[in-house]
Amino acid sequence: MTATTLALAKVRNIGIMAHIDAGKTTTAERILFFTGVSHRIGDVHDGDTALDFLKQERERGITITSAATTCRWAGHTINLIDTPGHVDFTIEVERCLRVLDGAVAVFDGVAGVEPQSETVWRQADRYGVPRVCFVNKLDRAGADYHRCVDMIRERLGAVPLVVQLPIGSEAGFEGVVDLVSMRAHVWTDGRHSVVDVPPGLAEEARRWRRTLVETVAEHDEDSMTRYLSSADLSSADLSSADPDGGQPSEEELHAAIRRLTVTSAATPVLCGSAFKNKGVQPLLDAVVRYLPSPLDVQDVSDEEPLSALAFKVMADRHLARFTFVRIYSGRLVSGAAVLNSVKERKERIGKIYRVHADKRVEIESAGAGDIVAVMGLKQTTTGETLCDPAHPVVLESMDFPAPVIEVAIEPRSRGDVEKLGAAVHRMSEEDPSLHVRQENGQTVIGGMGELHLEILVDRLKERFHVEANVGRPRVAYRETVRRAVERVDLTHRKQTGGKGQYAKVRISLEPIGAGYEFVNRVTGGRIPKEFIPSVDAGCQEAMQAGVLAGFEMTGVRVVLADGDFHPVDSSELAFKIAGSMAFKEAVRRASPVLLEPVMTVEVTTPEEYLGAVIGDLNGRRGRVEGTGERTGAWVVQALVPLAEMFGYVGDLRGMTSGRGVFTMRFAEHAEVPAAVAKKIIAEG
C-alpha cells in the first residue's frame, strides 16, 4: 500500500444534513470545537457560528449556503460540509451530496423524521451516499429515541443499527451506552468520561446488543454466521465479547458495521444532545470508524490523469470568484492548464485554497480525494468536469429543479440597470436553482420558495448595491401538451432582394413526463446535418414561452421527420425560425394545458384545531393524504397547490391561536383545473 493510499484511507469527506432546526449547525459547531478547529463554541441563537457566516444566516438563525471546513480526529482528516435544512435551499444539499463520500443525518429527538429529513435522505439515496444517523436534542421534553429509530425504519425504509442507548431522558439525559464496547459515555459538568454501564441499564443494554449482533448477521452473513451459530445469545456474557465463546470482538463488530454502512445496506444510529455537548465525541468516532474513505467509493490515485468536478461557484465579500472542486483522480496544481470537458474549453488554475467557512489557506496543489476552492476559473460552472487535456473525461453532472415561484424586479435608476444585469448573472452562476428571464422589459427571477427569493433580493442590495423595485411573488406555472400530433409541415420562405431565407421541416410532437427531448429521423440528406441543431434550437427557444399564457413549456418530445432546403437560401437562421414556428403550430394542435406546482404540506396542530386545519386545507384545493398523532399533537399531511398557500403562515396562526406550525416542499407539477386555468390565462 503506497503512502498516498494510506493517507487517503484516513480521509473522510462528509456532509451534515437535516430538517431545519434539528440542530445540524449546532452539531457541526461542536465538532469544530472538539476537534480543536475552534477555540470557542459558536451558537446559532447568538449569531456567532463559524459555519453560518453570511449576514442573512446570522440574522435568521438558519443555514442558507453550504459551508466547508477541515478538521482532524483520531489521526483522520475530516472534510466537512454543513448543508442547509430549509427546503428552499435544497439545491445546496443536492450538489454537496454529489461530491461527498458519506453523511451524518441529524434528527430532532422530539420531532423525529420530518419532511425535509425525507427529502435529503432521498437525495443521499440517489447519489449512493452512506450515512450515520445522530438523534439529537434528547435533553428536550418529549424526546423519544426509540420512536425516532422506528421512524427511520418506517418512513425512510432504512435498516437502523442501534449502536447506542441513551442514559436518562429529557432533562435527566446524561450520556450514552456504546453497545459495541458495552461501556457508558457520560458527561458531568462538561467532562467526558467512559465508565461501566449503569446497573439499571445493564439488562436492556444486553438485549439491544443481541439485537445489534442479529441485525448485523442478517445483512453481513459471511462474517457473522460462525459467531451466531456457536453462541448461546440468551446467556452469553455480552460485556466481555469473546470470539471463542461465539461473540464477535469489538474490532470484528466494528468492521462488520462498517461494511454494511459503506454499502448502504444498514445505517448506524447514535444519539446525544449537541447543544449540551453530549454525544459529539462518540459521533466523531463513528464517522472515522464507519463512513467511507475516498478509496471505498472508487479506485482513486494521484498517479492517474486529473479528473475533478466543480460543484459550487461562489464569491467572497470582495466579489472574488471561487469554484469549489472535488478531485477524483490526479493532482490539481496551481498554474496548470486543465480542460473543461463539458464546454471543451481550456482553463488555467489560479490559486488553490483549503477552506474553513469564509476563511482560506493557500496551498500549492491538491490530490485525489480532496475538496478545495480554486480561483481563476472563468468559464466553469456548477456540475462541469475539469480534467487532463490529454485524457478528456466527463463526470456525471447534476439535475437542478425548476423554479416554483417568481418575482419581477425593476431597477430604480438608469445606473442600476447595468448593475442589475451583472448581478443576476453572477448570482445565477452561484445558484443553479435561480432562473432569470426577461418579460415586458422586466427582469423576472425564479426560485424555490418565498424565503429563497427574499434572500436573493437581499443579496442584490447588500452585495451588489443594486436598488430595485420588487413585485409580489407569483407562481411559476408551466405549460405542456396532452396529446400527440403526428405531422406538422412548415415552410419558412422570405425573399428580401438579395439572399433569401428558405427552410422546410416536418415534425411530430408527443407528451412525455417532464423536460424536453429532440429526436432526428431525417434520412437521405433531406436536411443537411449542419442545419439539424438549428431546428432543435428553434424548438427549445419556442418552449420558453408557451401558446396559452407565455409560461415555459415542459414534457415535450419533438421528432424531426423530414424537410427540404435550398442550396443558396437555406441557413441556420432559416431552419431555426422554421423549427420554432413548426413547434408552436404543433403545440396549438396538441391540447395545451397549464401546470402548477403542488406542494407537500405537513401541518402540526393541537387536537382542538384539527378540524379547522383540515377544512382550511380542503378549501385551498388541497387533498389530505393522512393524519396522525405525534408527541401530543396532530400532524396533517396534504398536497396543496402553491398558488393557494400564499399568506398561510398568518392564516394558520390565526386558526390555531399561534400554536400551529407547518412545513412545505415541492411535490409535483399537476394540471390546473379548467376554471382556474381560464382565469390565469385571462390575467396573463
Side-chain angles (χ1 to χ4, degrees), residues 38-209:
S38 300
H39 300 294
R40 58 181 298 277
I41 298 176
D43 190 89
V44 173
H45 302 291
D46 295 336
D48 60 357
T49 58
L51 295 174
D52 283 350
F53 56 86
L54 295 179
K55 178 184 176 183
Q56 292 95 336
E57 292 178 316
R58 293 186 168 181
E59 288 176 348
R60 291 171 170 81
I62 62 171
T63 302
I64 293 170
T65 184
S66 54
T69 189
T70 299
C71 57
R72 293 186 62 80
W73 184 258
H76 290 68
T77 298
I78 302 174
N79 296 315
L80 183 149
I81 298 182
D82 179 32
T83 64
H86 196 285
V87 65
D88 284 15
F89 308 105
T90 190
I91 184 62
E92 285 286 322
V93 185
E94 181 89 13
R95 57 183 174 182
C96 291
L97 286 173
R98 169 62 182 85
V99 299
L100 292 172
D101 301 326
V104 175
V106 179
F107 299 92
D108 184 323
V110 179
V113 176
E114 299 173 273
Q116 186 65 3
S117 309
E118 294 187 63
T119 299
V120 297
W121 192 272
R122 304 300 174 216
Q123 288 173 308
D125 282 344
R126 184 160 60 250
Y127 292 113
V129 178
R131 278 139 280 177
V132 166
C133 296
F134 181 64
V135 179
N136 192 27
K137 300 189 177 183
L138 288 188
D139 60 308
R140 299 275 298 276
D144 188 333
Y145 176 60
H146 294 295
R147 185 178 59 83
C148 289
V149 172
D150 290 341
M151 293 177 76
I152 290 169
R153 179 185 298 106
E154 294 161 6
R155 295 186 65 167
L156 303 179
V159 177
L161 297 175
V162 177
V163 297
Q164 289 181 351
L165 291 181
I167 301 173
S169 61
E170 299 183 346
F173 174 71
E174 59 184 45
V176 301
V177 173
D178 182 338
L179 296 174
V180 179
S181 67
M182 290 300 284
R183 298 282 284 169
H185 295 256
V186 295
W187 287 265
T188 307
D189 298 327
R191 293 194 306 272
H192 170 219
S193 56
V194 181
V195 299
D196 291 336
V197 177
L201 274 176
E203 183 55 39
E204 183 182 1
R206 289 163 63 87
R207 188 171 66 253
W208 275 98
R209 192 181 197 273

Side-chain angles (χ1 to χ4, degrees), residues 413-467:
S413 67
R414 287 187 176 182
D416 286 317
V417 173
E418 189 172 323
K419 287 198 296 183
L420 176 62
V424 294
H425 174 72
R426 193 72 171 265
M427 289 166 60
S428 63
E429 283 187 331
E430 295 183 23
D431 184 354
S433 63
L434 165 63
H435 288 228
V436 183
R437 62 185 177 86
Q438 300 299 316
E439 179 185 286
N440 300 325
Q442 292 179 317
T443 298
V444 178
I445 60 173
M448 302 311 299
E450 290 183 85
L451 179 60
H452 188 201
L453 293 183
E454 184 182 326
I455 296 296
L456 292 172
V457 172
D458 273 358
R459 287 182 178 176
L460 276 176
K461 296 176 181 177
E462 182 187 347
R463 289 179 53 194
F464 298 98
H465 310 294
V466 176
E467 294 297 327

Side-chain angles (χ1 to χ4, degrees), residues 171-312:
F173 174 71
E174 59 184 45
V176 301
V177 173
D178 182 338
L179 296 174
V180 179
S181 67
M182 290 300 284
R183 298 282 284 169
H185 295 256
V186 295
W187 287 265
T188 307
D189 298 327
R191 293 194 306 272
H192 170 219
S193 56
V194 181
V195 299
D196 291 336
V197 177
L201 274 176
E203 183 55 39
E204 183 182 1
R206 289 163 63 87
R207 188 171 66 253
W208 275 98
R209 192 181 197 273
R210 283 197 293 271
T211 300
L212 171 63
V213 172
E214 290 169 357
T215 305
V216 168
E218 288 175 12
H219 297 85
D220 192 48
E221 188 173 350
D222 289 345
S223 63
M224 300 301 290
T225 298
R226 69 186 184 94
Y227 302 117
L228 293 171
S229 62
S230 60
D232 179 0
L233 293 179
S234 63
S235 60
D237 182 3
L238 302 181
S239 64
S240 56
D242 176 11
D244 296 330
Q247 283 300 303
S249 67
E250 281 187 47
E251 292 74 17
E252 288 166 331
L253 190 50
H254 281 314
I257 293 171
R258 187 173 199 277
R259 285 193 295 273
L260 293 176
T261 305
V262 168
T263 59
S264 296
T267 306
V269 183
L270 298 89
C271 57
S273 169
F275 183 68
K276 296 293 180 65
N277 304 323
K278 297 176 181 178
V280 179
Q281 296 97 327
L283 174 62
L284 282 163
D285 290 337
V287 166
V288 300
R289 279 182 181 139
Y290 303 141
L291 290 179
S293 75
L295 296 174
D296 295 305
V297 178
Q298 65 180 67
D299 186 17
V300 299
S301 170
D302 285 5
E303 309 305 319
E304 298 294 322
L306 174 69
S307 66
L309 187 75
F311 67 95
K312 179 172 177 171

